[in-house]
């Protein structure tokens, strides 16, 4: 019985990871070929060198990890973005107020980015990781900045993988190749 339940869980999980859910369009916007898309880079987070008494050790260590690995993660972003076949800009994750002024219509988006940027950087320092801990998966998609319409690429991307641009770009490139008949190497 236990094996059956494990098998059923794995089967359901594999099936749901491959689906686009809800009322989101199954295809990416057709004008993606001609419009600019924003890719969000990770920015350094100001935090004290010693953990404040009221901050959980786990959260403090995650912010340290964030800062220590920025250069590596953003280098991967630049490498993958260079393979994107259409126009793009790489912008600060924490410059949310200006996204719509960059001359781009779309943004590659994860809902964990919202958790990290809502309420300002300092206000979310502790809360972003708390939000991430309570949600095992995140949504990945393209956001139309003119009307906030979402084109989901995945409803169930692992939150832990949010830092790994390879995962999000793999899903984006797969859909681009399928829909626009482009080859991305």
């Amino acid at each position: 019985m236990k094996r059956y339940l494990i098998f059923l869980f794995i089967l359901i999980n594999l099936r749901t990871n491959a689906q686009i859910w809800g009322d989101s369009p199954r295809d990416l916007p057709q004008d993606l070929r001609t419009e600019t898309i924003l890719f969000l880079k990770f920015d350094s987070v100001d935090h004290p060198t010693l953990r404040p008494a009221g901050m959980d050790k786990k959260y403090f260590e995650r912010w340290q990890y964030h800062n220590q690995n920025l250069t590596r993660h953003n280098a991967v972003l630049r490498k993958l973005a260079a393979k994107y076949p259409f126009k793009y800009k790489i912008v600060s994750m924490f410059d949310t107020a200006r996204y719509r002024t960059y001359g781009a219509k779309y943004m590659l988006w994860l809902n964990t980015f919202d958790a990290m940027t809502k309420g300002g950087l300092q206000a979310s320092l502790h809360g972003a990781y708390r939000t991430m801990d309570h949600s095992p998966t995140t949504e990945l998609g393209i956001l139309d900045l003119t009307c906030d319409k979402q084109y989901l690429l995945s409803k169930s991307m692992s939150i832990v993988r949010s830092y790994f641009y390879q995962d999000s770009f793999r899903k984006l490139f797969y859909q681009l190749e399928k829909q626009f008949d482009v080859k991305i190497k």
Side-chain angles (χ1 to χ4, degrees), residues 98-133:
R98 295 191 49 201
Y99 288 161
R100 287 167 169 76
T101 67
Y102 284 115
K105 184 175 181 182
Y106 299 107
M107 177 173 64
L108 183 64
W109 161 87
L110 282 158
N111 64 1
T112 51
F113 290 171
D114 290 343
M116 293 183 76
T117 59
K118 291 267 194 270
L121 177 56
Q122 295 305 321
S124 66
L125 184 63
H126 183 69
Y129 279 111
R130 178 160 292 185
T131 301
M132 292 170 74
D133 279 347

Side-chain angles (χ1 to χ4, degrees), residues 5 12 55 85 99 131 139:
L5 290 175
I12 290 170
M55 183 181 271
Y99 288 161
T131 301
E139 294 175 343

Side-chain angles (χ1 to χ4, degrees), residues 35-41 43 87-107 145:
E35 295 292 338
T36 301
I37 190 170
L38 299 177
F39 297 130
L40 304 180
K41 69 176 181 149
D43 293 304
K87 296 184 288 186
Y88 70 91
K89 290 182 183 180
I90 297 175
V91 298
S92 167
M93 176 181 288
F94 296 113
D95 200 7
T96 56
R98 295 191 49 201
Y99 288 161
R100 287 167 169 76
T101 67
Y102 284 115
K105 184 175 181 182
Y106 299 107
M107 177 173 64
L145 297 170

